[in-house]
Amino acid sequence: AKAAGGRRHRWYASELDSQAGEEARLGADLRTALSTGQFHLVYQPIVALPAGDVVGVESLVRWRHPDRGPVSPADFIPVAERNGLIIELGQWILRTACEQYRTWQSRGVAPAHVGVNVSARQLAEPGFVDSVAAVLAETGMSPHDLVVEITETTVFGGGVAVRAVQELHELGIAIALDDFGTGHSSLGVLQAVPVKILKVDKSFIDNVTVSDRHAVIASSLIQLTGGLGLIAIAEGVETAEQAEALHRLGYRRAQGYHFGRPVADPFAPRSDVAAQVA
Ligand code: C2E
Ligand code: CA
Ligand code: CA
Ligand code: CA
C-alpha cells in the first residue's frame, strides 16, 4: 500500500511538473508573441433590439501561435495574469482598440462605443488609471466612447480595484459588469462600484425560450436594471427565437452569434464585393 501511495505521489508530482512546464512555455511564448505582433483584436457587434442596428462593439483579443495555431483567450489570459504579462498586453489591447475606434470615426462609421475587457491584475496595478488616461490622450479618444468591461472577480480582487473603477468612472468611462449572474455576489458589485451596463451571462440566455425558470430570471434581471437605471445587454444570443423572447421580456440590447461573430473589422467597406461586381 505504501509503494502504491508512493507511486501515486510520484504520478501527481510529474503531472504537476508537466502542468508547470506547460504554463512556463505558454508564458514565455506570450512574451515573444507581444514583441513579434502575434496578437490581434476582433470586434463583436452589440445591437439594439428588435431592429438589430449596431450600437457598439466589444473588442476581443486573438492569438495565432506559430506552432499551435489559434489559442483561446480563455486559455492564455489566465496565464498572462499569473505571469504579469497582462499589464503590457492589456495596454496594447486598450491602445489598439482606441486606435481602431478613431479610424472608424475618421471613416464616419464608428458605433456609439467600444468595449475593452480589463482583468483584475490590471485594475490592481498602481498607475493603471493614469495609463488609461494617457492612452485616451495619445489616441484622441473620448472617454465617453469607451466602455471598460469588468467582472465580479475583477472588483473583489482588492480594495485598490474598487478605487480604480471609481476613478475610471470619474474620467467619464462607462463601466460594464460582465458575466452578470454567474458569481456569488454580483449584487454586491452593484453596491461597491458605479456600474452603468449589466451584461447578462449567456447561461441565462441559452434556455430563455425553453425554460420558464430561465425566462423568469432573465425577466427579473431586466426589472433590476430598469429600477437601477442601468442598461442590460443579453450575451450570447444565438437564435432569432432567443432574440424575440428577450425583446418581449424587455431587453433592448443584445450581443451574440445571431447578430454577428467577432471579426477584424465589422465596418470594413465592402470593397471586395464592389470590386467583383465592377
Ligand atoms: P467575455 O468577455 O465574456 O467575452 C464573450 C465571449 O463569448 C467571447 O469569447 C465571444 O467570442 C463569445 N461569444 C459571443 N457571442 C457568442 C455566442 O453567441 N455564442 C457563443 N458560444 N459564444 C459567444 P472569446 O473571445 O473566446 O473570449 C473568452 C473570454 O476571454 C472573454 O469572455 C474574456 O473573459 C476573455 N477575453 C477575451 N478578450 C480579452 C481581452 O482583450 N482582455 C481580457 N482581459 N480578457 C479577454
Ligand atoms: Ca466581456
Ligand atoms: Ca461575458
Ligand atoms: Ca467571460
Side-chain angles (χ1 to χ4, degrees), residues 58 117 149 178-180 199-202 235:
E58 175 181 5
N117 292 284
E149 298 200 1
D178 210 350
D179 305 340
F180 188 76
K199 300 194 76 174
V200 177
D201 193 70
K202 182 176 189 308
E235 287 199 286

Side-chain angles (χ1 to χ4, degrees), residues 237-251:
V237 178
E238 293 183 342
T239 68
E241 291 70 28
Q242 286 169 351
E244 279 158 26
L246 290 162
H247 181 246
R248 272 198 304 277
L249 291 174
Y251 283 78

Side-chain angles (χ1 to χ4, degrees), residues 2-239:
K2 207 175 175 191
R7 261 200 301 281
R8 192 155 59 226
H9 177 77
R10 271 198 300 279
W11 183 82
Y12 276 125
S14 68
E15 178 80 351
L16 284 174
D17 281 353
S18 67
Q19 274 175 20
E22 164 69 2
E23 168 112 8
R25 268 192 302 279
L26 210 57
D29 287 357
L30 279 169
R31 289 185 191 286
T32 312
L34 192 57
S35 56
T36 61
Q38 290 169 21
F39 293 109
H40 68 280
L41 296 188
V42 289
Y43 301 86
Q44 185 176 32
I46 294 166
V47 305
L49 296 177
D53 310 326
V54 177
V55 292
V57 289
E58 175 181 5
S59 63
L60 297 157
V61 66
R62 293 289 177 266
W63 179 20
R64 205 184 308 274
H65 190 284
D67 312 318
R68 301 171 192 234
V71 184
S72 166
D75 293 328
F76 71 79
I77 291 288
V79 178
E81 282 175 356
R82 287 191 290 267
N83 80 358
L85 191 75
I86 192 69
I87 302 300
E88 230 181 302
L89 176 58
Q91 277 290 106
W92 179 85
I93 289 167
L94 178 67
R95 180 177 297 273
T96 305
C98 290
E99 285 169 353
Q100 177 61 262
Y101 188 84
R102 296 288 286 147
T103 302
W104 287 328
Q105 279 186 321
S106 70
R107 283 181 11 218
V109 296
H113 47 82
V114 60
V116 174
N117 292 284
V118 165
S119 84
R121 182 84 183 254
Q122 285 177 274
L123 271 179
E125 180 78 2
F128 173 69
V129 177
D130 290 343
S131 73
V132 172
V135 169
L136 292 176
E138 286 159 29
T139 58
M141 173 95 180
S142 163
H144 304 290
D145 298 334
L146 181 63
V147 176
V148 163
E149 298 200 1
I150 60 170
T151 64
E152 177 193 328
T153 30
T154 324
V155 176
F156 293 128
V160 197
V162 172
R163 180 79 168 267
V165 175
Q166 269 153 4
E167 288 174 7
L168 291 175
H169 169 72
E170 281 156 23
L171 285 179
I173 296 167
I175 308 300
L177 186 53
D178 210 350
D179 305 340
F180 188 76
T182 55
H184 298 291
S185 54
S186 291
L187 294 173
V189 176
L190 296 182
Q191 293 182 313
V193 294
V195 170
K196 183 173 169 189
I197 299 164
L198 280 195
K199 300 194 76 174
V200 177
D201 193 70
K202 182 176 189 308
S203 57
F204 298 107
I205 307 305
D206 282 345
N207 297 312
V208 83
T209 54
V210 290
S211 152
D212 287 345
R213 292 179 67 87
H214 283 80
V216 168
I217 293 170
S219 168
S220 307
L221 291 175
I222 271 294
Q223 304 297 319
L224 175 74
T225 53
L228 292 172
L230 309 179
I231 298 160
I233 301 178
E235 287 199 286
V237 178
E238 293 183 342
T239 68

